[in-house]
Structure formats: structure tokens, C-alpha cells
Amino acid sequence: MPHKILEKTRLNSVMWKIVLEAPLVAKSARCGQFVIVKIDEKGERIPLTINDFDLKKGTITIIFQEVGTTTKRFGCLKKGDSVKDLLGPLGRPTDFGEAGKIILIAGGVGIAEILPIAKYAKNNANFVLTIIGSRSKELLILEEELKKYSDKLIVTTNDGSYGLKGLVIEPLRDTLAKEQFDLSYCVGPDIMMKAVSEVTKACNLKTFVSLDANMVDATGMCATCRVTVGGKTKFVCVDGPEFDGHLVDWDRFIKRQKRFVDEEKRSLELFKSQHKECIYRGGEDG
Amino acid sequence: MAKTRMREQDPLARIRNFDEVALGLTEEEAKNEAARCLECKKAACVGECPIEIDIPTFIQYIAKGEFENALNKIREKNALPAVCGRVCPQEDQCEKACVLVKKEGAVGIGDLERFIADWEIANNSKLKTPWPAEHKSQGRQNSKLEKRKLKEKVAIIGSGPAGITCAGELAKSGYDVTIFESLHKPGGVLTYGIPEFRLPKRIVDVELEYVQSLGVKIEANFLVGRTKTIDDLRKDGWRAFFIAIGAGLPYFLGVEGENLNGVYSANEFLTRTNLMKSYLFPEYDTPIKVGSIVGVIGAGNVAMDSARSALRLGAKKVYIIYRRTEFEMPARIDEIKRAKEEGVEFALLTHPVRFFGDENGWVKETELLKNELGDPDSSGRRRPVPIKGSEFRMKLDTVVCAIGQGPNPLLARTLTNLKLDEDGNIIVDKNHMTSIEGVFAGGDIVTGAATVIAAMGAGKKAAQAIDRYLKG
């Protein structure tokens, strides 16, 4: 069953927000879960976090960044087009419930993934402090939406074009030096999740991270997404995507994430040579 | 007269492509081979077939050139003849029981089954009966009963051999059958696991079309337990369930360095290649990375498939690394032979104990131990005993673990009262029913990883049990 793209909005030069027709997924989806999208016959099976879902309309919202060939090709689809295959919801749902004071940290496209967590945290009567960071003002997304679910929101940009200049790690350190928290939750680039986990570990603050790993079936069958957590091999697809950030073997995980970089480059070059019109469309929507 | 062997692609040519290796029999060859059958009155071959195909009768039809009759005879019992003709271990089943086995060699029952199935595919539009005569006559005989019972909804979970067979049987009995498949393409191991060169995917497609022609619906991209639970499906009106999710969880060795880059489970290696068509990368988006020296751990059919795929993906050297000797290898003799012809090397009586990586986290070297054979273990095969101090190293830059698969726990986690054995397989009674009323199971999820045909046999028996259950 193909899934129609009902809405497509450009969030910035590399990120899209897409509302997909997906009544079955919308019905079962819970916070923290993801879907596998395979846009067409030749596409990869890519895991994407369910950013939002609407039971009545039978839709799910996903936000993604154009990185590799499949996501770039996804970006080329227009409103009214369909994605061929969609599987979900997958992964264990978020269930930290009422934890008390929570600090959320997100970076890059991870900000899209922290939004449902913020919503969940707020709905479960937690105090929510959110720190988000992006490379520049242009790449920053969902600030207004996150304000709704955060008691306090701190924004950083690497280049200082908006909010505090620098990385999320600095305001995180400052905040933790002043205040006690009960839980932290981080989604973003692997290197950021690693750094955040190191900081929170030093002050013994329980930290969940939501890992984004390369997957194939995403049902526990291929084990390509395996990660070492607390000395044990876990599968991100079925045991995660949430893990205790203090227990993740980050160096191993980060190296594993790079295992197809050469192939990805090759694939992208081929794509660019074949799809000039699509790539260079510029800021146009849908 | 000696057995007529199928022609095969030349080994040097075939390791450059993913096309089918065995080319099948011509009509003349098939008739000649069929004429070798002695038409035993008490045919031992039938007794060895898990789905009890009337082998002598279909072979006689071939000898007479009555191919459509032969086809219908096979279809009475087998929904997947083109698959079984290719991947069944006939040498351990029907052909082993053939009275000719010790003389000039068993009748090529598997090759003949494949011949008929391929003949059907080639002549599909010309056939008079789109489905077996038996189905029609049964329908007539039981028309009153079937009409009354028609439309009861049965859900089959998993579209591999067990699921397809069970679905086909139940559809023939008049049930409203839907198969739920989590991947985007149905077929289970036939689609994601067995490579194109051993089982072309167009063959699987044809077999699936046949099952759909019986009225079976296939819902892909549906993970029971996540997309909907069995309880949800019950509320939606499904009356009985057959869990046929196979052995989907890959086993690893549990040794150091196993999560290094370049160490694959056979599931991953084969799924990327077959299901995602990585061998056509970058035309297809899913990559696979194969180094120049590949070690495949294990010696079953999955290991042979992995080793031979690795060669086709460009590996310079491929080793099968196995802890026992060739005699104990679980793979089919023909597949071992073909692997050897293609240049796969065998490092026997040895097993890896540690993988070493480079600074970027890629596997580069493997430490292994040599074994000698000790007393037989529970499988009846002689146990490998490591030789102290026999450590040695091999420079492998890709490793594929093909040491077996176990039950995927995902579905079981969503069913609180489902009884499992200590390995995590589902426990069923003699009627294939699990500890949950109306929920049946069969195939690898019950027995542990086994063969296509064993799963089909379970699917067939479960279908009969489900029929009895629903008729109450």
C-alpha cells in the first residue's frame, strides 16, 4: 500500500517536514517510536522518528534531513506523491513517565526528535528544561513548538547567529552546576550524545539517548544496528532506540556508523550526476 | 542408465553474475530421467516426503509427456513446487529412499519437480486448469459445508514457506486468509535469504501469485505485535492465527571483536544482497561492503549461500571456516560441490576465538583455534575439541557469521500467555496450537532453524488443525 504525502514543508535548506497518510501506524504509534520508509523499489529502508501522529486524520509527521541518496531522493518527492513502503511503529516507546525535573538536549535534526519527547515529558507533569543547538540560525528548527512544552528553553548556534554562541554542552554544564535534575534525554549527532553523556555521567544524572543507526529490516533480524551497551550487544531497532547513554560504547558505535561512508559517497555522486534539476531546485517547496 | 544431471553455468562465468547456476532439464532430458523410475508399488520415496507428494505418479506423467497432469499431481500437495524442486534436500529425503540410490543413482525427483514447475511458468497462459483439479472437485463435494464455513478470517503471520503453505491450504478449504508480512516483499527466507543464483526471485513471485490466485491476501509492511497485536486482530474479526515467523534472530559467536565493522550476520549479508539488491548498488540505494578476503563461519546452506554471494560481490578469496570436518557439514552436498567449483576454500577443524580491528574499527585479522573430533554430541555428530596452543591467525577483512538463527522474540513479547521453550521457540501441542486458544504456530519458530520443506509440512498440518478447530 503506497502512502500519500499529504503535506510537505521545507524547514530549511536541508530539512523537510512531511505529513504521510498512514492510518495503521497512526493508530498504534507512541512517543519515541520510529518508522521504516522505503520510498520506491530502489530505495534503502531508512528509519525515521515519528515526530507526530494524528489518530483522527490517520497521518504521521516525519522530519528528516537530506544526507544520503535515499533522503535526497525523498526530498525530491512532491505533495501528492507516495512512498512505496512504510513499516511501523517500531522500537520501544518512551516510558520514563513522571520523573520530576527533566533536562532535554537536542542538536541538528535531533531537535525534531526531541519535540515529541518534550510533549510527552510535559504531559507527564515533569518540569522541562530544553537546550537545543544548531550550526546556524538558518538550520534551527521548531523553536516555537518546543517553547510550548518547555518550562525553559535555551538555544545555541555554533556560529553565534542566534542564541548563545557555541555548543549545547556549555549551557548544559552551567545548568547542571546550578540546578539538580532527575533525568536527562538527548537526541542529536552521535558525537554530541557522547559528550552529553560524559557530562551527565560526571554528575550521576541518568541519561537516555535515542540512537539513529543504519538499519535494514528493523525487526531484529539483520543485526546491522547492533550497539554495545553495558558490555552487551543490543539491537537499536528492537531493544532501542532509547538507551542509557552512560552505558553505550560510543567509540565503537561511532565507528560502526561510518561503515558505509565510501559507498554513500559513490551513491551520492551518481545521484547528483543524474538529478541535477532536483538538487539545484533551491529553496522551492514541494 | 545413469542419472541425467542438470546443466549448470560454468563456474568461472557464474561467479561474475547472480543468475541461476543450475539450468534445469530439457523436455527430452526430463522424459528420459522420468523413465528411469521403476514405479515401485510401495514407493518409499513418498514416505520420506514431508508433504507426501505422490512422486511415482507425477513421474509417470512426465515419462509419458503429460506435463499438465504431472503438474496437477504435484499441486495436490505442494503449493511451491518450483521452490521445492530447487531447495529441498532431496538427497536426505525422497531420493535417499529411492531403490536405485545404491545402483545407478536415485531418480532425480527434485530436478523433475523443478522441471514441471518451470514448465508451468513457461506455459502458464496455455494451461486449462489455473489451479489443481483436486481443488475443484473438493469444492464440489463439500460445497454445502464450505459455503456455510466460508469467510471465516484466518491470519497467517509470516510469509515464508510455512505461512504460504498454511495459507494456501486454508484458502483451498474456503477460509478468508490474510498473510501479514513485516518486510516490504513477501516470501520470508525465500525472498531475503536464499540468493538469486540458487532460487531466482521471479520463481518466488510466481509461487506467491499462485497462492494469491487461491484467494489469499498478502499484507506486506505489517509487523504483528507492533502495527497491530494479535488481540487487536481478534477484535477486528480474525478467528484463528498461525504464527510462522521463522528463525529470524541471528546468532553470534560471543567472542571479542564481533561488533567490529565488516563483521556481518549471515542474515544481514544475505538480506542486503537479496532483498535490497545490494549487488546492483549503486543503481539500488542499499550498499554492501565486501573486502578482499572473506571468512564465512559455519557450513550450512546459509554459509554456502554467503560464501558464494561474497565471491559474486567481488571478494578475491573466500573461506568457509568450520569447526568440524566436511563429513559433518550440514549443507547440501550439491551446494558444497558448487562452492568448491567456484573456488571457495575450506578451513576445517577450526573456529575463531577473537577478531582484531584496525584504528577505524574494521576487522582485519582473526585468531582461530584448531580442533580435533571427540565423542559424538547430542546431534550425533562428533564434537569438535579445541587443541591447546594451536592458535593461529588469518587476515580476514570481512567476516560473515552463519552459525544459525534463533527465534525472534518481538512477537512473543506482546503475547503474555505464550509459552516458550528454553531456547525461546514457541511450544505447541499435537494440533500445532500454542498455549493461547486459537493461536497456532509452525515452522522454524517451533522447531528451531530447519528446512523449507519441513516448514511447509508444518504449515500443511497446522492448516488441517486450524480447519478442525474452526469447524469446532
Side-chain angles (χ1 to χ4, degrees), chain A residues 28 70 73 219 222 224 252, chain B residues 227 258-259 265 268 285 408:
Chain A
S28 304
T70 297
R73 296 207 293 113
T219 63
C222 81
T224 196
R252 185 86 286 284
Chain B
T227 309
E258 214 155 37
N259 292 345
S265 72
E268 179 185 357
D285 291 350
N408 187 322

Side-chain angles (χ1 to χ4, degrees), chain A residues 22-71:
Chain A
L24 279 179
V25 180
K27 205 169 172 184
S28 304
R30 286 168 65 193
C31 175
Q33 292 189 299
F34 66 93
V35 288
I36 282 284
V37 175
K38 183 171 183 288
I39 59 167
D40 56 19
E41 167 64 22
K42 294 179 178 177
E44 264 191 280
R45 291 170 65 94
I46 48 170
L48 294 166
T49 299
I50 301 170
N51 181 258
D52 199 3
F53 50 91
D54 188 323
L55 197 61
K56 278 194 200 131
K57 290 185 187 152
T59 61
I60 60 164
T61 302
I62 46 186
I63 291 175
F64 69 94
Q65 180 169 358
E66 293 183 7
V67 184
T69 302
T70 297
T71 45

Side-chain angles (χ1 to χ4, degrees), chain B residues 163-383:
Chain B
I164 298 171
T165 306
C166 187
E169 293 295 314
L170 288 168
K172 282 199 236 169
S173 307
Y175 292 100
D176 180 0
V177 184
T178 303
I179 304 180
F180 295 97
E181 166 58 48
S182 70
L183 292 172
H184 57 273
K185 265 193 191 149
V189 72
L190 309 174
T191 297
Y192 74 76
I194 304 175
E196 183 77 19
F197 57 80
R198 198 151 75 87
L199 179 63
K201 298 311 141 207
R202 63 179 171 82
I203 300 288
V204 181
D205 291 344
V206 169
E207 304 275 44
L208 286 163
E209 275 166 30
Y210 168 74
V211 178
Q212 285 169 287
S213 79
L214 298 173
V216 172
K217 283 164 274 185
I218 301 179
E219 186 119 19
N221 296 313
F222 195 113
L223 179 61
V224 177
R226 281 288 185 217
T227 309
K228 279 189 177 185
T229 61
I230 284 187
D231 288 341
D232 295 334
L233 291 170
R234 260 192 224 275
K235 283 178 207 140
D236 293 346
W238 265 274
R239 293 280 317 279
F241 301 84
F242 180 54
I243 303 176
I245 56 175
L249 184 80
Y251 286 148
F252 286 93
L253 295 151
V255 302
E256 196 184 321
E258 214 155 37
N259 292 345
L260 285 165
N261 296 353
V263 181
Y264 294 90
S265 72
N267 273 358
E268 179 185 357
F269 197 73
L270 293 174
T271 303
R272 282 185 185 273
T273 313
N274 302 321
L275 178 72
M276 304 312 293
K277 295 194 162 56
S278 312
Y279 66 93
L280 299 174
F281 178 87
E283 187 198 334
Y284 278 70
D285 291 350
T286 306
I288 192 161
K289 194 169 192 129
V290 178
S292 55
I293 308 176
V294 180
V296 177
I297 321 296
N301 289 319
V302 172
M304 297 304 147
D305 285 346
S306 303
R308 298 170 67 199
S309 295
L311 277 177
R312 286 159 174 79
L313 289 164
K316 288 199 181 75
K317 216 171 184 103
V318 179
Y319 293 96
I320 286 280
I321 297 169
Y322 183 48
R323 56 193 182 141
R324 309 186 211 234
T325 71
E326 187 168 335
F327 180 73
E328 288 87 13
M329 286 188 183
R332 296 187 66 189
I333 292 163
D334 273 359
E335 301 308 324
I336 297 170
K337 185 184 110 237
R338 286 172 185 148
K340 282 184 180 168
E341 285 170 1
E342 290 170 9
V344 172
E345 294 189 34
F346 289 73
L348 302 175
L349 283 170
T350 182
H351 69 273
V353 288
R354 198 171 168 194
F355 300 106
F356 299 96
D358 65 14
E359 66 279 11
N360 296 317
W362 284 90
V363 65
K364 61 169 189 185
E365 208 169 19
T366 300
E367 185 173 290
L368 304 101
L369 262 182
K370 287 193 174 145
N371 301 324
E372 54 193 3
L373 288 184
D375 297 332
D377 63 12
S378 59
S379 74
R381 295 174 300 170
R382 292 181 66 191
R383 190 193 306 271

